[in-house]
């Protein structure tokens, strides 16, 4: 039985990365626990035209019927199962991760369920993968990333590669999602790896 993953989506640009990761994991039959900040819902609306006035319906429209199961946790439900280290998960990915969320995790604030769950991952020695999406970066951003890297988190900035010669936006998105799956130690075929022949050759 596959262990569940926690997926967080925050208010940074790049919500499509989080949505695509959920789609892929659900199609692979992974159970998911979803956390979306209020700003994350705003970005889903602004960037992807999600109708977010009824959140449960929006999630079911985009993630229902993909194979795996998901459970959505309101961001203020600090008593949710994933807030406890005794609840077993494979780890957590926050994609995209805003600088505000990154800062909260770096200082151990646990002001909401997302930050608390990330703190649980660190204290339990589980995978915590953060996908910051901001540019340019100032010293505080960099220091917070360094703090979290030293604490055991993996920092995977949203920096798509081009050596696989992407032909459209979907291939750029899949490259980043593929890099996340690599960090999660999950096999996939979302992009052509360096040295791997092109299917057209």
């Amino acid at each position: 039985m596959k262990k569940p993953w926690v997926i967080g989506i925050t208010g940074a640009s790049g919500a499509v990365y989080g949505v695509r990761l959920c789609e892929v994991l659900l199609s692979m039959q992974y159970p998911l626990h979803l956390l979306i900040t209020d700003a994350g819902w705003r970005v889903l609306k602004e960037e992807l035209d999600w109708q977010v006035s009824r959140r449960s319906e929006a999630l079911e429209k985009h993630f229902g019927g993909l194979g795996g199961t998901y459970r959505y946790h309101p961001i203020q439900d600090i008593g949710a199962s994933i807030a406890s280290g005794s609840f077993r998960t494979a780890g957590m990915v926050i994609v995209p991760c805003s600088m505000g969320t990154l800062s909260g995790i770096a200082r151990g604030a646990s002001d909401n369920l997302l930050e608390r769950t990330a703190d649980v991952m660190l204290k339990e020695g589980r995978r915590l993968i953060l996908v910051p999406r901001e540019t340019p970066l100032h010293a505080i951003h960099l220091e917070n990333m360094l703090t979290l890297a030293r604490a055991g988190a993996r920092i995977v900035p949203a920096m798509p590669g081009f050596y696989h010669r992407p032909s459209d936006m979907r291939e750029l998105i899949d490259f980043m999602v593929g890099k996340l799956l690599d960090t999660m130690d999950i096999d996939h075929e979302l992009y052509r790896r360096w040295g791997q022949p092109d299917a057209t050759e």
Side-chain angles (χ1 to χ4, degrees):
M1 184 176 178
K2 295 178 177 177
K3 284 185 181 179
W5 281 90
V6 181
I7 307 297
I9 296 176
T10 73
S13 182
V16 67
Y17 293 125
V19 170
R20 179 63 176 145
L21 179 63
C22 289
E23 291 173 348
V24 172
L25 291 173
L26 288 169
S27 70
M28 292 178 173
Q29 308 290 323
Y30 279 94
L32 302 182
H33 290 264
L34 304 180
L35 291 165
I36 304 174
T37 65
D38 289 339
W41 282 108
R42 172 73 180 267
V43 175
L44 287 166
K45 180 179 184 294
E46 297 292 338
E47 294 187 349
L48 301 179
D49 293 325
W50 277 35
Q51 300 301 312
V52 301
S53 57
R54 297 183 178 180
R55 295 178 175 182
S56 60
E57 291 180 13
L59 290 171
E60 187 61 22
K61 176 181 177 181
H62 292 279
F63 298 145
L66 293 179
T69 60
Y70 69 88
R71 180 172 181 184
Y72 171 68
H73 299 275
I75 199 69
Q76 297 304 330
D77 184 10
I78 205 67
S81 57
I82 54 176
S84 172
S86 66
F87 186 80
R88 301 299 299 275
T89 65
M92 180 179 191
V93 184
I94 304 176
V95 52
C97 183
S98 69
M99 290 300 122
T101 294
L102 192 143
S103 173
I105 299 168
R107 60 190 171 88
S110 295
D111 285 338
N112 57 44
L113 180 58
L114 190 148
E115 291 179 8
R116 168 58 186 171
T117 305
D119 194 66
V120 166
M121 299 301 149
L122 292 175
K123 79 183 185 71
E124 298 294 331
R126 299 175 192 159
R127 283 187 175 94
L128 175 62
I129 303 166
L130 308 177
V131 184
R133 216 303 311 165
E134 186 62 87
T135 191
L137 299 168
H138 57 62
I140 297 173
H141 295 156
L142 296 169
E143 287 172 358
N144 285 336
M145 290 184 211
L146 181 58
T147 294
L148 287 168
R150 285 174 170 162
R154 297 294 302 276
I155 310 296
V156 185
M159 298 177 179
F162 292 87
Y163 56 79
H164 61 301
R165 298 184 182 180
S167 60
D168 55 30
M169 185 75 72
R170 182 59 173 260
E171 291 185 4
L172 287 171
I173 294 165
D174 277 357
F175 178 89
M176 275 309 309
V177 172
K179 295 296 285 186
L180 289 175
L181 293 172
D182 288 346
T183 309
M184 298 161 77
D185 199 24
I186 295 175
D187 291 335
H188 68 90
E189 295 181 358
L190 286 183
Y191 67 88
R192 182 171 60 89
R193 299 180 183 279
W194 179 252
Q196 180 181 354
D198 191 323
T200 61
E201 293 178 356

